[in-house]
Amino acid sequence: MIKLHIYQLLIAIACFFGCTRQRNTTPVVTSTDYKKGESLLNIKNDSAFYYFNRAASASTDSLQIAMAYTYMAIIQSDAGDYFGSQESLLQSLKLLDERKEKDQQCLLSDYNELGSTSLRLKNYDAAIDYYNQALKFTKDSNYKRVTLNNKAVACQEKKEYAQALAIYSSIISESRTDNKEFARILSNMAKVKWLQHPGYNAAPEFLTALQIRKNENDNWGLNASYAHLSDYYQHAHPDSALIYANKMYAIARQLNSPDDELYALQKLTLLSPPEAIKTYFTRYQQLSDSLQTARNNAKNQFALIRYEVAKNKADKLALQKDNTEKKIQILVQWGLLSGTIILAIVIFFWYKRRKQRMIREQQLNTSRKIHDEVANGIYRIMSEVEHAAFVEKEPLLDKLDIVYERSRNISYEHPETVHPDFQQSITELLESFASETTRILIVGNTKEIWEGLLPKAKTALKHVLQELMINMKRHSAAGNVVVKFERSESLLKILYSDDGIGLPPGFHYGNGLTSTENRMKMIGGRIIFDRTTTKGLKIQLYIPMFQSK
């Protein structure tokens, strides 16, 4: 579980004070809307967001606008709108200059908050990068340790335990003057040691941190300690794990932290006796639904506030426009005449471009036909001949004759016929790419899969599969290829995977894959390349079945 303490907000607030002190050297005056936003922060955050948004829309001071966006981002993050928070932070960063000293403390706040939102979104690489950016602007040793602690948490979640331990080791001695901070680092460090080596005895360090937090009345720290201890004892001593899970649940409710309460309920559902599980699970469902609803409402509310502010600004601009139009009515007749001439020119060029576009589309259509029906057909025959132990002359000539006839009729709009046994046709197509070094496994290709699908969709899918197999043959060096077919009432799903070299960095569609994507769009389908897999290639094809009606 990722738990970012209130120290992150303290960094942001301290940065704002620092920015304000720097800004006091200039004659810019803080706007009334900005002051109202600050006064309502953590009291009525929706109203605070409204005034910060107004300040960002009306202020002429770039630093003040950046600070307003950062405050808005913190409010959005607290409400669970992490993507909206990132958007606001990026708007803030656009207004700041790393070379200006007065902007640097606000840059620290922005990068820290971006690291936090990325951590919550489980984008650990981005979080580490943002924390590194923040460290460039961190001059205060206390804030530096907080940022390093957060970076270590990201490394821990990424399972880079050695890096996390190195960070904790570098800051733990400096933290001994602050009991809360020392307890936090000690407990986090013990957890990493235990995760790295499951046999490590982390209990003494966990319990030491727990006692310090009790002495300091650090409820947020106690919440984290109970979570660590419950995780630690879950398998070795389930009874102890249950006790700490109950303590975490109680303090999470006391802190009014729904995320921590949900995490505690997960533990209680796993560890409690059967008669108590239903109660905890019911509470978990209710809280989860309630939290999701609240966060969705918050996102909608933030969007509505921004819309209202933008609308008011647009209304003011419209009023100014109306006043200006009264002064230029004399020029309307000349404008109409000029407009008529321009319109005639536009229509002329539009017609010319339309004609050129139609020619290009016809050329592209012909090119696609040549690619799909001739080039890919020849490549498929070459693949069969290459790996066949013995080539029969007559079947080979028949296939070449089919390709020849297609090439002769390439400029005509004859609809492509569908093989009556389409399931067998697909099987033959896929198996034709098998060789001594490449094994093709087909799963789920039954006649029932294709029932009700329009011929147009079948034809398109056949070309798509052929293009994928050709790309596999030419580029992937795969030893095993799996093509799986699944179908529900409304959707046909085709899953392609191989153990080849996968997508190269900076991968872009070539002509063949571009044509493949266009074919999927023409039948209302989608093609998705899995860019997260680290080995081989995975592709999903989705085709809606409603087209058959």
Side-chain angles (χ1 to χ4, degrees), residues 178-194:
D178 185 329
N179 287 336
K180 289 184 179 180
E181 183 182 1
F182 175 71
R184 181 177 72 252
I185 296 173
L186 179 65
S187 189
N188 288 345
M189 191 174 182
K191 181 176 180 179
V192 174
K193 290 178 180 178
W194 167 59

PDB file of all heavy atoms in Angstrom, residues 178-194:
ATOM      1  N   ASP A 178      14.167  14.383  14.619  1.00  0.00           N
ATOM      2  CA  ASP A 178      12.715  14.500  14.455  1.00  0.00           C
ATOM      3  C   ASP A 178      12.119  13.108  14.629  1.00  0.00           C
ATOM      4  O   ASP A 178      12.260  12.236  13.761  1.00  0.00           O
ATOM      5  CB  ASP A 178      12.381  15.063  13.060  1.00  0.00           C
ATOM      6  CG  ASP A 178      10.891  15.318  12.876  1.00  0.00           C
ATOM      7  OD1 ASP A 178      10.071  14.594  13.472  1.00  0.00           O
ATOM      8  OD2 ASP A 178      10.539  16.227  12.103  1.00  0.00           O
ATOM      9  N   ASN A 179      11.465  12.869  15.765  1.00  0.00           N
ATOM     10  CA  ASN A 179      10.988  11.520  16.079  1.00  0.00           C
ATOM     11  C   ASN A 179      10.009  10.983  15.038  1.00  0.00           C
ATOM     12  O   ASN A 179      10.072   9.810  14.664  1.00  0.00           O
ATOM     13  CB  ASN A 179      10.320  11.517  17.467  1.00  0.00           C
ATOM     14  CG  ASN A 179      11.343  11.637  18.572  1.00  0.00           C
ATOM     15  OD1 ASN A 179      12.510  11.289  18.407  1.00  0.00           O
ATOM     16  ND2 ASN A 179      10.925  12.146  19.734  1.00  0.00           N
ATOM     17  N   LYS A 180       9.089  11.832  14.596  1.00  0.00           N
ATOM     18  CA  LYS A 180       8.105  11.369  13.614  1.00  0.00           C
ATOM     19  C   LYS A 180       8.783  10.954  12.314  1.00  0.00           C
ATOM     20  O   LYS A 180       8.473   9.920  11.728  1.00  0.00           O
ATOM     21  CB  LYS A 180       7.073  12.460  13.341  1.00  0.00           C
ATOM     22  CG  LYS A 180       6.112  12.708  14.494  1.00  0.00           C
ATOM     23  CD  LYS A 180       5.061  13.735  14.082  1.00  0.00           C
ATOM     24  CE  LYS A 180       4.073  13.985  15.235  1.00  0.00           C
ATOM     25  NZ  LYS A 180       3.043  14.985  14.866  1.00  0.00           N
ATOM     26  N   GLU A 181       9.711  11.774  11.884  1.00  0.00           N
ATOM     27  CA  GLU A 181      10.412  11.465  10.641  1.00  0.00           C
ATOM     28  C   GLU A 181      11.268  10.211  10.801  1.00  0.00           C
ATOM     29  O   GLU A 181      11.305   9.340   9.921  1.00  0.00           O
ATOM     30  CB  GLU A 181      11.274  12.651  10.211  1.00  0.00           C
ATOM     31  CG  GLU A 181      11.980  12.426   8.876  1.00  0.00           C
ATOM     32  CD  GLU A 181      12.862  13.588   8.492  1.00  0.00           C
ATOM     33  OE1 GLU A 181      12.951  14.566   9.256  1.00  0.00           O
ATOM     34  OE2 GLU A 181      13.494  13.507   7.419  1.00  0.00           O
ATOM     35  N   PHE A 182      11.954  10.093  11.934  1.00  0.00           N
ATOM     36  CA  PHE A 182      12.788   8.916  12.170  1.00  0.00           C
ATOM     37  C   PHE A 182      11.940   7.642  12.177  1.00  0.00           C
ATOM     38  O   PHE A 182      12.328   6.620  11.592  1.00  0.00           O
ATOM     39  CB  PHE A 182      13.527   9.070  13.499  1.00  0.00           C
ATOM     40  CG  PHE A 182      14.325   7.855  13.874  1.00  0.00           C
ATOM     41  CD1 PHE A 182      15.484   7.513  13.190  1.00  0.00           C
ATOM     42  CD2 PHE A 182      13.906   7.031  14.917  1.00  0.00           C
ATOM     43  CE1 PHE A 182      16.211   6.382  13.537  1.00  0.00           C
ATOM     44  CE2 PHE A 182      14.623   5.900  15.255  1.00  0.00           C
ATOM     45  CZ  PHE A 182      15.787   5.580  14.566  1.00  0.00           C
ATOM     46  N   ALA A 183      10.785   7.702  12.836  1.00  0.00           N
ATOM     47  CA  ALA A 183       9.898   6.529  12.882  1.00  0.00           C
ATOM     48  C   ALA A 183       9.419   6.156  11.480  1.00  0.00           C
ATOM     49  O   ALA A 183       9.336   4.972  11.128  1.00  0.00           O
ATOM     50  CB  ALA A 183       8.705   6.818  13.793  1.00  0.00           C
ATOM     51  N   ARG A 184       9.100   7.163  10.681  1.00  0.00           N
ATOM     52  CA  ARG A 184       8.632   6.895   9.321  1.00  0.00           C
ATOM     53  C   ARG A 184       9.708   6.192   8.504  1.00  0.00           C
ATOM     54  O   ARG A 184       9.453   5.172   7.851  1.00  0.00           O
ATOM     55  CB  ARG A 184       8.219   8.202   8.642  1.00  0.00           C
ATOM     56  CG  ARG A 184       7.682   7.998   7.222  1.00  0.00           C
ATOM     57  CD  ARG A 184       7.218   9.306   6.593  1.00  0.00           C
ATOM     58  NE  ARG A 184       8.342  10.161   6.236  1.00  0.00           N
ATOM     59  CZ  ARG A 184       8.678  11.271   6.860  1.00  0.00           C
ATOM     60  NH1 ARG A 184       7.984  11.672   7.914  1.00  0.00           N
ATOM     61  NH2 ARG A 184       9.689  12.009   6.450  1.00  0.00           N
ATOM     62  N   ILE A 185      10.925   6.732   8.542  1.00  0.00           N
ATOM     63  CA  ILE A 185      12.009   6.147   7.746  1.00  0.00           C
ATOM     64  C   ILE A 185      12.385   4.767   8.285  1.00  0.00           C
ATOM     65  O   ILE A 185      12.619   3.824   7.516  1.00  0.00           O
ATOM     66  CB  ILE A 185      13.224   7.093   7.743  1.00  0.00           C
ATOM     67  CG1 ILE A 185      12.858   8.407   7.048  1.00  0.00           C
ATOM     68  CG2 ILE A 185      14.416   6.434   7.056  1.00  0.00           C
ATOM     69  CD1 ILE A 185      13.938   9.472   7.134  1.00  0.00           C
ATOM     70  N   LEU A 186      12.409   4.616   9.608  1.00  0.00           N
ATOM     71  CA  LEU A 186      12.756   3.317  10.208  1.00  0.00           C
ATOM     72  C   LEU A 186      11.760   2.245   9.797  1.00  0.00           C
ATOM     73  O   LEU A 186      12.147   1.130   9.411  1.00  0.00           O
ATOM     74  CB  LEU A 186      12.792   3.455  11.739  1.00  0.00           C
ATOM     75  CG  LEU A 186      13.106   2.170  12.522  1.00  0.00           C
ATOM     76  CD1 LEU A 186      14.523   1.695  12.215  1.00  0.00           C
ATOM     77  CD2 LEU A 186      12.917   2.400  14.019  1.00  0.00           C
ATOM     78  N   SER A 187      10.466   2.564   9.868  1.00  0.00           N
ATOM     79  CA  SER A 187       9.438   1.586   9.516  1.00  0.00           C
ATOM     80  C   SER A 187       9.481   1.250   8.030  1.00  0.00           C
ATOM     81  O   SER A 187       9.398   0.086   7.636  1.00  0.00           O
ATOM     82  CB  SER A 187       8.054   2.136   9.897  1.00  0.00           C
ATOM     83  OG  SER A 187       7.066   1.142   9.762  1.00  0.00           O
ATOM     84  N   ASN A 188       9.623   2.279   7.179  1.00  0.00           N
ATOM     85  CA  ASN A 188       9.698   2.036   5.735  1.00  0.00           C
ATOM     86  C   ASN A 188      10.931   1.215   5.377  1.00  0.00           C
ATOM     87  O   ASN A 188      10.882   0.314   4.531  1.00  0.00           O
ATOM     88  CB  ASN A 188       9.732   3.362   4.971  1.00  0.00           C
ATOM     89  CG  ASN A 188       8.397   4.067   4.986  1.00  0.00           C
ATOM     90  OD1 ASN A 188       7.384   3.466   5.310  1.00  0.00           O
ATOM     91  ND2 ASN A 188       8.388   5.336   4.639  1.00  0.00           N
ATOM     92  N   MET A 189      12.028   1.524   6.041  1.00  0.00           N
ATOM     93  CA  MET A 189      13.279   0.805   5.770  1.00  0.00           C
ATOM     94  C   MET A 189      13.162  -0.663   6.166  1.00  0.00           C
ATOM     95  O   MET A 189      13.616  -1.558   5.453  1.00  0.00           O
ATOM     96  CB  MET A 189      14.412   1.498   6.524  1.00  0.00           C
ATOM     97  CG  MET A 189      15.804   1.039   6.140  1.00  0.00           C
ATOM     98  SD  MET A 189      17.051   2.069   6.967  1.00  0.00           S
ATOM     99  CE  MET A 189      18.547   1.347   6.301  1.00  0.00           C
ATOM    100  N   ALA A 190      12.533  -0.916   7.315  1.00  0.00           N
ATOM    101  CA  ALA A 190      12.343  -2.300   7.760  1.00  0.00           C
ATOM    102  C   ALA A 190      11.470  -3.073   6.783  1.00  0.00           C
ATOM    103  O   ALA A 190      11.722  -4.249   6.489  1.00  0.00           O
ATOM    104  CB  ALA A 190      11.713  -2.305   9.151  1.00  0.00           C
ATOM    105  N   LYS A 191      10.447  -2.396   6.249  1.00  0.00           N
ATOM    106  CA  LYS A 191       9.567  -3.080   5.297  1.00  0.00           C
ATOM    107  C   LYS A 191      10.339  -3.472   4.043  1.00  0.00           C
ATOM    108  O   LYS A 191      10.161  -4.575   3.506  1.00  0.00           O
ATOM    109  CB  LYS A 191       8.398  -2.177   4.931  1.00  0.00           C
ATOM    110  CG  LYS A 191       7.422  -2.848   3.960  1.00  0.00           C
ATOM    111  CD  LYS A 191       6.200  -1.987   3.675  1.00  0.00           C
ATOM    112  CE  LYS A 191       5.260  -2.706   2.710  1.00  0.00           C
ATOM    113  NZ  LYS A 191       4.048  -1.914   2.410  1.00  0.00           N
ATOM    114  N   VAL A 192      11.192  -2.578   3.544  1.00  0.00           N
ATOM    115  CA  VAL A 192      11.967  -2.886   2.346  1.00  0.00           C
ATOM    116  C   VAL A 192      12.920  -4.057   2.604  1.00  0.00           C
ATOM    117  O   VAL A 192      13.072  -4.954   1.768  1.00  0.00           O
ATOM    118  CB  VAL A 192      12.737  -1.640   1.868  1.00  0.00           C
ATOM    119  CG1 VAL A 192      13.666  -1.995   0.711  1.00  0.00           C
ATOM    120  CG2 VAL A 192      11.775  -0.546   1.443  1.00  0.00           C
ATOM    121  N   LYS A 193      13.555  -4.063   3.771  1.00  0.00           N
ATOM    122  CA  LYS A 193      14.457  -5.172   4.103  1.00  0.00           C
ATOM    123  C   LYS A 193      13.698  -6.497   4.108  1.00  0.00           C
ATOM    124  O   LYS A 193      14.198  -7.520   3.618  1.00  0.00           O
ATOM    125  CB  LYS A 193      15.096  -4.934   5.472  1.00  0.00           C
ATOM    126  CG  LYS A 193      16.104  -3.789   5.504  1.00  0.00           C
ATOM    127  CD  LYS A 193      16.654  -3.608   6.923  1.00  0.00           C
ATOM    128  CE  LYS A 193      17.660  -2.469   6.997  1.00  0.00           C
ATOM    129  NZ  LYS A 193      18.160  -2.259   8.376  1.00  0.00           N
ATOM    130  N   TRP A 194      12.488  -6.462   4.682  1.00  0.00           N
ATOM    131  CA  TRP A 194      11.679  -7.686   4.748  1.00  0.00           C
ATOM    132  C   TRP A 194      11.221  -8.122   3.357  1.00  0.00           C
ATOM    133  O   TRP A 194      11.231  -9.302   3.022  1.00  0.00           O
ATOM    134  CB  TRP A 194      10.484  -7.442   5.676  1.00  0.00           C
ATOM    135  CG  TRP A 194       9.431  -8.502   5.576  1.00  0.00           C
ATOM    136  CD1 TRP A 194       9.557  -9.827   5.810  1.00  0.00           C
ATOM    137  CD2 TRP A 194       8.071  -8.301   5.190  1.00  0.00           C
ATOM    138  NE1 TRP A 194       8.369 -10.487   5.612  1.00  0.00           N
ATOM    139  CE2 TRP A 194       7.430  -9.557   5.231  1.00  0.00           C
ATOM    140  CE3 TRP A 194       7.328  -7.184   4.835  1.00  0.00           C
ATOM    141  CZ2 TRP A 194       6.084  -9.705   4.893  1.00  0.00           C
ATOM    142  CZ3 TRP A 194       5.996  -7.337   4.523  1.00  0.00           C
ATOM    143  CH2 TRP A 194       5.385  -8.594   4.550  1.00  0.00           C
TER     144      TRP A 194
END
